[in-house]
Structures are given as C-alpha cells and as structure tokens.
Amino acid sequence: MSTGDDRPHDGSGEGPDDESRGEQPNPFKGTPFEQLFGQMGGAGGMGGMGDLGEQLNRFSQQLGGQMPDLTQLFGQIQAMMAPHDGPLNWDLALDTARKTVAQDPDPSPTQKQKDAVADAVRLADHWLDDATELPSGITSSTAWSRAEWVVATSDTWRHLVEPIAKQSVEALSSALPEEARAMSGPLVGMLGKVIGGMLAGQTGSGIGTLAKEVLSVSDVGVPLAPAGKAALVPANVTAFAEGLDVTEDDVLLYLALREAAHQRLFAGVPWLREHVVGAVTDYARGIQVDTDAIQSRIEEQMRGIDPSDPASMQGLIEGGMFELPKSPLQQAALQRLEVVLALVEGWVDEVVGQATATRMPAAGKLQEAVRRRRAAGGPAEETFAALVGLQLRPRRLRDASTLWGSLRSRQGIEGRDGVWMHPDLLPTAADLDDPLGFRADATAPDTMSEEDFDAGLRRLLGGEDNTDEDNTGE
C-alpha cells in the first residue's frame, strides 16, 4: 500500500523537501527531544498528532498492509495532549491509577470488615494511651477498597507531585535550543503538554501500583488523608497476613495500632506534616537537566519501540522516559526525607512495641514482618521511586526505633516524645549512625525543676530568655 510519499524517514522528522512542502524543520534537532518528536511525526505533524491518516498509513506500510488496532494507543495520546490546568494532567493521572487498580479484583469492604476496622482502631487508641504522652489524633475510622484509597489520597498526592512535575517541565523546556524557544508559543506549549501528560501517566501508574499493597492511609509514612481520618485496606491486610502464622484479627489490630500511632504523631506535632512536604518541595527545586544523559536515554528507549505493537508504545508513555538524573540538591533533600521518614516509622515502631509488650504475644513476629517490609520496600514503592524519583521507604527504621527506645529508657516517655517539640531537636543522620549515643549525657527531665527545663528549652530555641541578661549588661 503506497502513501505517495517517498521521502526518507530517519526519525529526525525532516526530509529533503520539508520546506518545499511548507513544513517546519525539526527545531529539536540535536536536543534530547529530537528522537521523541521525530518518531511521533516531526514538528509539523505534532499539532494534534498531525495527520493521523498519514501516520496510520506509515504504520500500515511498515507492516505490509496489516494494520494493528491502535485505537487504545491513540486514545491515550489524545488524553495526554488534552488541555489541563497546572503542570500535570491530574485527571489523566487519576484515570491511570484507577485503571491500574482495576487490573486485579478490588471488592468493596463489607459492613463486617468496616466494623472490624472500627473496633480494632478503637482498641488500639486505648492501648496507646499508656505508651505515649501524645493524645489521640483520630476523629473517624473506616475501611477502603484500593480504588477508594486512590481517590481519598489524591489531593495529597497532587500536592506532593505537582512541584516535581512543574520543575521537570521548566527544566526540560529550558533545555530547548534558542531557535526552538524563539518559535515560542505553540511548540513550547505543546512540549509542556507532552511532558505533563507523560508525567501524569507515570504518576498514576505509581499510585495505582502502591494502592495494591498499602495497608493503611499512613502506611508510606506520609500523611495522605485529612487529619484524624484513620483507614485500612482490608484486601491488602488479608494478603499481608498470608503466611505469617498469626491470626488475621491480630494482624488487623497490630496494623490499627500503627495507624493510630501515626495519627497521634502528626496530630500532636503540628509542624511535622509541612516538614515532610517541605522535603519533597526541596527535592523538586533541585531538579537539573543533563541533556546528554536525557538524549542517550530517549535514544535507547526509541530503539526498543515497535510501531506494530501498541503495548510497546504504551510502555514508552508510562515507562519513565523523562526520569532525570538526581542533582546534589536533590540527593540532600532525599536524605532529609529519608531521615524524617525513618524517625516517624521508628517512633511508631517503638510506641507500638510498648503498647503491645504485655498484651499481644504475636506482636514481636508482626513487628519483624513490618520492619522487613518497610526497610526493604516492596515492588510498589520501587515502582513509584522509579517513576517519580521519590524514595518513600525508611531504610533506617531499625536504627530509629533503637534510638527512640534508648531515649525512653533514659528519659522516660516524656523525654522521648519531647524531642518532637521542634524540628531543630530531631536526631540527624549522624545520630542514626550511633542511636544509643543520642543525648547519652542528657539529664532526665524529672531531675530538673519544671521552670529550669522550660527556661533551658527556650534558650535552645532562641527564645526570649536571654533578654534579661542582655538588658542587665546594658
């Protein structure tokens, strides 16, 4: 089948008679985007995926006239290019997440399961009263399907991911050559849509994959739902319980304890939520573009594309094409995020251990299972890290748990929980290297008067306690 077009197509999007045909030459030549836009039909053809008839004819010619069903592929590309507010097509991200979840059975929780979760959370909150000074942070509890988890946590995911998407679009756009930027308007706007659409597909795939494994709303260590909303995912809890040689009731209660402890910490430490989100924002600010690395990556992925295979093209859209090498600023932000997540998870581990010490014989086995799962990271966390670039697992959970336990044994529950009063008091990565040495020479609060303790804390935080001395000196 002939298209009447004998121009050579070498992936650059240019032919010897481009200008004579009134087409724009590829302005991305020599940039990381040359292979991408050349494969998709060149600058002139990308204005709405160009002349789809011509594109399909080319595919058909390559296949000897046998046309595969590309309806789904072009539907995805059309959705990717759809107008959207902000740097990321969030409607596409949510749609992708839902479709990812729908690949496996996802039954809605029964009323019996919802009642079981509510009872477990209520009992867990009661047990925690003896293990921490922080008050209950739970106002309601529920059970979610995986799809419900996606929807209920979507606002927080958007808040976390959009700064990364915004900076990625800006960084990649800035890598365009001057002549491409001079053409301004349509091309730069189109590039933003393409990148925003691809990042949306990647983000949605990552969130949907996470939804298949998360055990609760706080399972990744980041507060994903409105404050006070405790929720577990029964289908994933059941899957986690398999092979543990522990009753599912004990598993549910233990996970409810962890969820309730997370809720107490984030409710009782008002600055903590923004501290975690701030580390993600700092990560986004550090995004830089290594054009040579991006060019090499795109060329490598393009070589693996089979135009006759829609799944191959879909993999290009969802497969992390624009994964950027991490800059030193990003590495530093990731370390801060890793440390604070480890401290959160370690505190939860320590507090739940105290709450269950004399009440739940199976707690030790469940603690070890959760530790291994969180420290190693599952396939879902690895997928999200590869797609979005964020590590969500606390690699140093054991060190953090040891640190909090050592502090409690020396200074009591009040001394342990008092460290959360201000971010400047938190242990550092160096402290996690020597968890038993954190404040090893500190005096327990009960040997100091309440006035002396408060005054010392104000001095440490730069309060007003030094003003009297300053005024006296004057």
Side-chain angles (χ1 to χ4, degrees), residues 2 37 40 44 55 90 92 110 129 138 149 166 189 210 215 218 249 308 313 335 340 372 386 388 390 392 402 438 460:
S2 173
F37 286 90
M40 298 177 78
Q55 296 289 334
W90 195 248
L92 175 60
T110 64
D129 285 337
I138 295 176
W149 182 90
K166 179 177 183 292
L210 273 174
L215 303 174
S218 303
D249 286 343
S308 68
M313 295 293 288
Q335 184 184 51
V340 72
R372 289 179 179 176
V388 184
L390 285 176
L392 295 176
T402 299
F438 179 65
L460 179 62

Side-chain angles (χ1 to χ4, degrees), residues 206 209-215 219-220 240 369-387 390-395:
T209 306
L210 273 174
K212 297 180 181 182
E213 294 189 9
V214 289
L215 303 174
D219 195 30
V220 298
F240 174 70
V370 169
R371 280 182 172 184
R372 289 179 179 176
R373 175 180 178 273
R374 293 295 287 124
E381 288 173 315
E382 293 171 3
T383 297
F384 196 81
L387 292 175
L390 285 176
Q391 295 283 353
L392 295 176
R393 63 178 183 266
R395 301 174 188 273

Side-chain angles (χ1 to χ4, degrees), residues 323-352:
E323 181 181 347
L324 303 177
K326 293 179 180 61
S327 69
L329 288 175
Q330 284 182 287
Q331 295 287 5
L334 282 177
Q335 184 184 51
R336 290 195 299 274
L337 182 61
E338 182 178 283
V339 169
V340 72
L341 288 180
L343 292 174
V344 168
E345 293 299 292
W347 184 89
V348 168
D349 188 72
E350 144 70 13
V351 168
V352 171

Side-chain angles (χ1 to χ4, degrees), residues 36 39-40 59 69-78 80 92 95-101 103 197-205 209 301-302 304-322 387:
L36 172 65
Q39 184 80 10
M40 298 177 78
F59 281 126
D69 182 7
L70 299 176
T71 305
Q72 182 179 2
L73 170 64
F74 282 110
Q76 290 176 326
I77 296 176
Q78 183 179 12
M80 183 181 72
L92 175 60
D95 185 57
T96 302
R98 292 190 187 100
K99 288 178 179 177
T100 302
V101 167
Q103 293 172 358
M198 286 190 170
L199 288 173
Q202 295 168 22
T203 300
S205 177
T209 306
Q301 290 195 328
M302 283 299 181
I305 294 301
D306 178 4
S308 68
D309 181 7
S312 175
M313 295 293 288
Q314 181 177 349
L316 174 66
I317 295 173
E318 298 180 358
M321 166 174 277
F322 291 111
L387 292 175

